[in-house]
Amino acid sequence: MPATYFIGLLIFVVVSPSNAGVYQCKAYPTTKKCDHFTFSQLWPPTFCKIEKCRSIPTGVKTWTIHGLWPDAANYDLSFCYPKQVFDPNSITDITDKLQLVWPSLKHNQEDMYFWQNEWCKHGSCAFNCTTETDSEINYFNKTVDLNNKFSIDKALSENGIVPGKSYNLTTITAALHDAFNATSIVCCASVGGQNYLHEIHLCMTTDFTLKDCDVSMQGCKKYEPISYPSFKASVISELSLELP
């Protein structure tokens, strides 16, 4: 093995998030304080149509968490002061649960790296929003609680919207409003000119009461059907099979 390759491999082992210790988050000064949250859930089969995916974890058959994002009015908060650290040991007790409801799906991106990014970018801004998100473990626990409480799978299926079929935007937005009594954001991804249901965003006050989002869709072709793909192996591994 060439020496340069060996050195590169050694460095990877040292800094890989699954082996790393406490990680110092970057931070940018801002005087803005969060006044609402966006809770984002994604649909893995669609995600893996637009990204190079790792294997979908065994047991993942539902919508998964993308993140809990605090924001201020007309201002996107990220990497907030005071500087935070990400400590993998803080979430050891819930790691198994996170792997099912909040997995990383990207090829070559480990779960711990994904969680590190979500905490540093968004959790750092949730730190001063409420005591329910004022620490790393509290932030992750609260997000999991929200995932249990606001089930996209249930909201859609109880209104007759099931994977493997296509629906119009009005049908999907109406189903979500019926379930949550608030306007959600339906996010679509375009693959080969086809609309695919990708993410659902729920908007919340800082006490986690649902409220109407300012918009009802992102990336959707309003008058074209939206495909809600099923968890078939041919779908979720479509891009993964193309990898060398």
Side-chain angles (χ1 to χ4, degrees), residues 6-110:
F6 177 79
I7 293 172
L9 178 62
L10 179 61
I11 292 174
F12 173 79
V13 170
V14 171
V15 301
S16 172
S18 63
N19 297 300
V22 175
Y23 174 82
Q24 177 68 59
C25 302
K26 60 184 178 182
Y28 303 107
T30 178
T31 58
K32 302 290 185 180
K33 183 175 175 60
C34 74
D35 58 21
H36 69 278
F37 285 96
T38 299
F39 177 48
S40 173
Q41 299 176 62
L42 65 84
W43 184 237
T46 297
F47 181 87
C48 292
K49 280 184 169 291
I50 62 175
E51 294 280 355
K52 293 182 179 180
C53 273
R54 59 194 292 191
S55 296
I56 303 295
T58 302
V60 174
K61 298 294 181 184
T62 64
W63 287 73
T64 59
I65 298 169
H66 184 172
L68 178 64
W69 309 329
D71 277 312
N74 302 315
Y75 190 89
D76 293 331
L77 296 173
S78 61
F79 300 105
C80 294
Y81 269 103
K83 278 191 176 183
Q84 303 297 315
V85 297
F86 176 78
D87 183 358
N89 295 317
S90 294
I91 55 174
T92 300
D93 290 345
I94 62 170
T95 295
D96 289 347
K97 183 185 300 182
L98 292 176
Q99 288 173 334
L100 286 177
V101 300
W102 202 341
S104 170
L105 300 174
K106 280 188 177 181
H107 176 66
N108 282 343
Q109 184 188 74
E110 297 181 9

Side-chain angles (χ1 to χ4, degrees), residues 109-121:
Q109 184 188 74
E110 297 181 9
D111 290 334
M112 199 63 74
Y113 181 86
F114 181 34
W115 302 331
Q116 170 189 299
N117 182 71
E118 288 298 307
W119 166 248
C120 287
K121 185 176 182 179

